[in-house]
Amino acid sequence: MVKEAIIKGQYFSATIPHEMAGRRLDQVLASIFPQYSRARLQYWIRHGLVTVDERHLRPRDKIQGGEAVKVNAVAVKDTSWTAEAIPLDIVYEDDALLVINKPVGLVAHPGAGNHAGTLLNALLSHDPALANVPRAGIVHRLDKDTSGLMVVARNLIAHKALVEQLQSRTLQREYEAIVHGVMTAGGEVDAPIGRHPVHRTRMAVVEKGKPAVTHYRVIERFRAYTYIRVKLETGRTHQIRVHMAHIHHPLVGDPLYGGRIRLPKGATAELVDALRQFRHQALHAVRLGLQHPLTGKRQYWDSPLPADMTDLLTLLRKDGQAVD
């Protein structure tokens, strides 16, 4: 159960426009204070942190227009998790954002079997004030064994803005991956994703799943593998891994969806050994693009492939040359 502590906030006040008469209080506040989410405003109303003409109302109560509204914009501090001094590879940092280059093996958020040693614990150590932001500012995740760029919101305004960009699909995320099989061309996978009907720890393309769209293009082809760039429209759990497996090009090293190792005939011993030792999905978040929550400017960050993926690509190229 999440433990919370309410800490001193900042007061905002406004006069409710008469044209908003008859609307719910939470709807009115969402219009007047758009920098905060409706859920956050509802929380403040329910906890007596909003007054309308010095009265406490419920979120669904209707307003008449012309009232004086005052909001005590407190932070709700999550005290469930502890800070841990785990090194972070910080690509960018300002008052609103942190951009992190997450390594393979680091879980994003505490959960079943991972109550400590996560990115969230590391973030709380780097900036204790992140305890005042939902999930310490983590607005999207990468799987434990996927590396690359993640953005973290450092305050409630930035958090709301980034969540909205995710929902509107304007937060750009690009990945690079090595997949089994030789792709003839790039393409798109538009297939709904949901929980696997039998294996509940896995996801799958299922008829009643959530909409999911993945775009991919070929960067380089090898004898039995392809190096690709992937762009997400949606952000479903394991989306790239599930979609690539669905079109019969699973990611190299993927323990859930990859199946058995497929060795090209006459592969070099060095390549065979590298493929057998590659124990995580060959997937890296290489590019992140978003509109900065405070400046409104579009910003981009790039991250080079980790050494194990670049080494594998080198061996795949050598393998092709040896056969030629």
Side-chain angles (χ1 to χ4, degrees):
M1 184 175 179
V2 175
K3 299 176 183 177
E4 295 180 339
I6 296 177
I7 62 176
K8 185 178 180 180
Q10 185 175 6
Y11 285 91
F12 294 94
S13 60
T15 299
I16 298 176
H18 287 283
E19 57 266 27
M20 290 187 175
R23 296 175 62 183
R24 289 170 52 119
L25 175 60
D26 56 354
Q27 293 175 336
V28 169
L29 293 189
S31 297
I32 296 175
F33 304 109
Q35 66 269 44
Y36 297 110
S37 70
R38 188 167 168 182
R40 179 69 51 177
L41 291 164
Q42 289 173 337
Y43 180 94
W44 289 334
I45 296 169
R46 292 191 184 102
H47 285 76
L49 301 168
V50 175
T51 59
V52 179
D53 283 345
E54 304 300 327
R55 295 180 297 125
H56 294 292
L57 302 180
R58 297 167 298 180
R60 68 174 182 270
D61 287 340
K62 303 294 177 63
I63 57 91
Q64 297 178 347
E67 298 98 327
V69 61
K70 183 182 288 187
V71 178
N72 181 11
V74 301
V76 182
K77 186 172 183 178
D78 185 346
T79 59
S80 303
W81 315 114
T82 57
E84 295 181 56
I86 301 169
L88 289 172
D89 181 2
I90 298 174
V91 176
Y92 176 84
E93 181 174 11
D94 64 20
D95 292 340
L97 303 176
L98 280 170
V99 178
I100 307 293
N101 192 25
K102 188 189 85 67
V104 166
L106 182 63
V107 175
H109 190 276
N114 295 290
H115 296 291
T118 71
L119 174 61
L120 184 146
N121 301 108
L123 289 169
L124 291 176
S125 176
H126 175 75
D127 180 6
L130 285 171
N132 304 324
V133 187
R135 295 182 181 273
I138 296 174
V139 294
H140 68 115
R141 302 187 191 187
L142 293 177
D143 296 337
K144 175 184 176 182
D145 289 330
T146 297
S147 56
L149 297 171
M150 292 179 62
V151 64
V152 175
R154 300 190 77 173
N155 55 55
L156 293 177
I157 294 173
H159 186 272
K160 178 177 181 287
L162 292 176
V163 168
E164 287 176 347
Q165 289 183 54
L166 280 165
Q167 293 171 342
S168 65
R169 303 181 183 181
T170 57
L171 195 149
Q172 181 181 341
R173 291 163 293 166
E174 294 186 24
Y175 299 74
E176 289 183 3
I178 306 171
V179 301
H180 289 282
V182 182
M183 290 181 165
T184 56
E188 174 188 295
V189 184
D190 184 350
I193 291 176
R195 190 68 59 183
H196 194 288
V198 177
H199 306 289
R200 304 305 291 174
T201 59
R202 299 174 58 177
M203 307 301 287
V205 170
V206 293
E207 185 179 351
K208 294 184 179 180
K210 294 181 179 179
V213 180
T214 302
H215 303 273
Y216 63 93
R217 65 177 177 85
V218 174
I219 298 175
E220 192 172 358
R221 297 180 185 86
F222 308 104
R223 287 202 299 140
Y225 301 90
T226 309
Y227 174 30
I228 61 174
R229 172 72 69 114
V230 182
K231 223 184 241 192
L232 292 181
E233 273 194 33
T234 52
R236 308 305 176 201
T237 301
H238 299 175
Q239 179 172 322
I240 295 173
R241 300 165 66 187
V242 171
H243 272 174
M244 291 300 104
H246 179 67
I247 62 171
H248 310 295
H249 289 287
L251 272 61
V252 167
D254 193 327
L256 276 182
Y257 309 102
R260 62 181 180 81
I261 298 173
R262 303 163 198 182
L263 300 172
K265 186 177 180 180
T268 64
E270 195 176 13
L271 175 59
V272 171
D273 184 61
L275 288 167
R276 286 176 173 164
Q277 295 302 316
F278 210 97
R279 303 286 175 82
H280 67 89
Q281 59 268 13
L283 181 63
H284 180 72
V286 295
R287 186 158 232 242
L288 180 70
L290 54 85
Q291 183 178 359
H292 194 282
L294 300 186
T295 67
K297 292 182 179 179
R298 191 78 185 171
Q299 290 187 240
Y300 296 90
W301 297 271
D302 295 281
S303 170
L305 290 179
D308 58 357
M309 284 184 68
T310 57
D311 290 346
L312 181 57
L313 288 170
T314 298
L315 291 174
L316 288 169
R317 293 183 186 112
K318 286 182 178 178
D319 174 73
Q321 293 166 359
V323 171
D324 292 341

